[in-house]
Amino acid sequence: MNSKYNFQYFQGSSLSDLFAQDITDASYGFILNYPATASWAAYPNVEKYFIQDGSSEATKTSFDKICQKEPWKILAVLGDRILGIAINPPPKSLLAYWQEHFGFSYSNRLMMDRLTYLDDLSHSERFDKLITLFPFDRLKKEKHAIDSDTHYRLLSKVTLAELGVQCPKYESYNLHTYSLEDIELPQFPYLIKTSHGLSGEGTYIIKSLSDLNYCLEEINKYLDIKLLDKIIVSEFIKNQVQNYCVQFYVNKVGEITLIGTTSQLVTPEGSYLGGLIDYRNTDMSKFFEMIAAIGQYAHKQGYFGVIGFDVLEDQDGQFYVIDANFRVNGSTPLCLQRHTLLGLGKEVAKYSSDYRMEGTLDSILVTLKPELDRKDLIVLSALEKVKYGKIYTEIYAIVTGENIQEMQHIEQKLQYKGLQWLEISLR
């Protein structure tokens, strides 16, 4: 371990146990969904806190992802010490499975009307402060647990150079000041990123003129619908050998608790699919300097909560922080399984948001019961869909094993039973 720092792993398994130390001064709730800008959103973030979640109605992040699958995944590991707020209840069979396998009561949850929830929360005497993944335009500023302007700035790609860690060279541009035609672009390859892209949206890897033309079309669409102020043009890190997400919690007095480090699973286009973790053999000390710098910066800004930062390692052993997410991250629930799985002798696990299986959720829970009982498979979220008259279920899940070979063997067995997933690459 890095002797300069004495960072310790979190010993619990729920988000509310992490936050417990910081929520005794007021009445807190946790809004489990992101804001959205699609036509279905009753409270679109189109005034101040822009989020790039699709440049046209056809490409907007879907209702089921933002309001069902993603919030339920967080609810699965939220625990009972903070109230989780959602606008769609999870399926009863999923809730029963969680109660049996995670051991929380899930009584501390509040389902609200999606047409009125932000107005109701803004005027609620029940909640003094609300933890969010992203600031909401239509939630009163004083109700945000983290100052909403500060949180928005922390979540911006433009802020990366302020964190005190090595990152790719980049320039930021305010598109109200600069026209796209006047921006000097480097030689291929490079990246262009919008300031607040959701789940890989707004990140463009530019390797050719056709890549650039597509990117500029997308940015112009965002400008046309007035959902974008700033972009960055970043160098492309070549010869990368690993892509990590390093996660920790910083409390209100600036103390740091380690959550875990995953190797990220992404599509060739850079869209996030999940993470792979080795609970026993991951040495987080190589990230301690970065953790300390980012934690100190966040604390000075008044932030408390989960932080996950993405790190590329190149073939020369250099680390570059390419993104920092001041919120619960996609693979945070995977990291929180550390003590449970190590207690079962399971040292390796993989989270994916892209599993699916034919049949209803109830039938799947019966078919996969042996694997679920052994925690070979852990279901975080599940939603039934219908296509061509056939029911199938989309699943966010974790596959586990004593080592990577056993985990892959278990995944093959699950595949024989009908569990399917998109082919993914580790980079």
Side-chain angles (χ1 to χ4, degrees), residues 8-19 21 249 257-260 335-336 338-339:
Q8 300 296 316
Y9 269 106
F10 175 53
Q11 295 300 307
S13 59
S14 76
L15 286 168
S16 63
D17 284 346
L18 267 174
F19 279 96
Q21 60 193 308
Y249 184 93
T257 303
L258 304 178
I259 299 175
C335 295
L336 291 175
R338 172 184 176 83
H339 300 292

Side-chain angles (χ1 to χ4, degrees), residues 304-318:
F304 71 95
V306 177
I307 300 173
F309 60 95
D310 300 340
V311 184
L312 294 182
E313 181 181 3
D314 69 14
Q315 63 185 20
D316 298 322
Q318 290 291 308

Side-chain angles (χ1 to χ4, degrees), residues 57-101:
E57 197 60 38
T59 61
K60 295 287 185 191
T61 307
S62 63
F63 173 85
D64 60 16
K65 181 173 181 178
I66 285 185
C67 298
Q68 296 173 307
K69 292 184 290 186
E70 291 286 335
W72 298 343
K73 174 187 72 177
I74 299 173
L75 183 61
V77 297
L78 186 61
D80 295 326
R81 299 173 72 176
I82 188 169
L83 197 144
I85 299 163
I87 55 179
N88 275 87
K92 289 181 180 178
S93 55
L94 182 62
L95 194 62
Y97 160 79
W98 287 345
Q99 288 169 329
E100 180 182 353
H101 287 270

Side-chain angles (χ1 to χ4, degrees), residues 18-272:
L18 267 174
F19 279 96
Q21 60 193 308
D22 292 319
I23 57 173
T24 57
D25 60 319
S27 176
Y28 284 79
F30 193 141
I31 301 178
L32 301 175
N33 60 279
Y34 278 95
T37 66
S39 61
W40 53 258
Y43 297 98
N45 259 38
V46 295
E47 296 167 13
K48 185 177 184 181
Y49 303 125
F50 301 149
I51 185 168
Q52 290 84 51
D53 59 350
S55 62
S56 66
E57 197 60 38
T59 61
K60 295 287 185 191
T61 307
S62 63
F63 173 85
D64 60 16
K65 181 173 181 178
I66 285 185
C67 298
Q68 296 173 307
K69 292 184 290 186
E70 291 286 335
W72 298 343
K73 174 187 72 177
I74 299 173
L75 183 61
V77 297
L78 186 61
D80 295 326
R81 299 173 72 176
I82 188 169
L83 197 144
I85 299 163
I87 55 179
N88 275 87
K92 289 181 180 178
S93 55
L94 182 62
L95 194 62
Y97 160 79
W98 287 345
Q99 288 169 329
E100 180 182 353
H101 287 270
F102 291 116
F104 309 127
S105 73
Y106 299 96
S107 57
N108 215 1
R109 56 193 174 94
L110 178 64
M111 297 298 134
M112 299 191 71
D113 186 330
R114 76 176 186 88
L115 299 177
T116 62
Y117 77 110
L118 289 182
D119 284 324
D120 294 342
L121 289 170
S122 289
H123 299 99
S124 170
E125 294 183 1
R126 183 176 182 181
F127 299 105
D128 302 310
K129 296 290 183 183
L130 293 154
I131 297 163
T132 66
L133 301 170
F134 196 95
F136 288 86
D137 277 343
R138 299 283 295 278
L139 179 68
K140 277 187 178 177
K141 186 176 173 65
E142 60 268 25
K143 289 286 189 177
H144 286 82
I146 307 299
D147 176 81
S148 51
D149 290 342
T150 299
H151 199 190
Y152 188 65
R153 190 172 57 79
L154 287 172
L155 288 166
S156 173
K157 305 285 191 291
V158 175
T159 306
L160 200 58
E162 298 178 19
L163 302 182
V165 294
Q166 180 167 268
C167 61
K169 297 184 184 72
Y170 70 87
E171 295 289 337
S172 60
Y173 299 93
N174 187 323
L175 298 180
H176 301 297
T177 306
Y178 284 87
S179 69
L180 286 171
E181 297 77 22
D182 294 336
I183 295 173
E184 286 190 32
L185 297 171
Q187 291 185 328
F188 304 136
Y190 57 91
L191 288 93
I192 296 178
K193 299 182 181 183
T194 62
S195 61
H196 293 85
L198 178 65
S199 296
E201 170 63 28
T203 294
Y204 308 97
I205 302 171
I206 313 298
K207 295 182 177 180
S208 66
L209 195 57
S210 62
D211 290 338
L212 177 60
N213 289 336
Y214 172 74
C215 168
L216 295 178
E217 283 177 20
E218 288 292 293
I219 288 173
N220 276 313
K221 287 179 187 176
Y222 276 119
L223 289 172
D224 288 344
I225 57 177
K226 297 180 170 55
L227 286 180
L228 181 62
D229 289 328
K230 296 178 181 179
I231 62 168
I232 69 166
V233 179
S234 169
E235 74 169 317
F236 181 85
I237 301 302
K238 298 174 182 175
N239 304 314
Q240 55 185 269
V241 296
Q242 194 56 272
N243 182 346
Y244 302 100
C245 180
V246 181
Q247 297 182 52
F248 65 96
Y249 184 93
V250 60
N251 69 13
K252 284 184 176 177
V253 295
E255 296 167 341
I256 285 167
T257 303
L258 304 178
I259 299 175
T261 296
T262 65
S263 296
Q264 301 212 85
L265 301 167
V266 295
T267 66
E269 297 75 34
S271 296
Y272 176 78

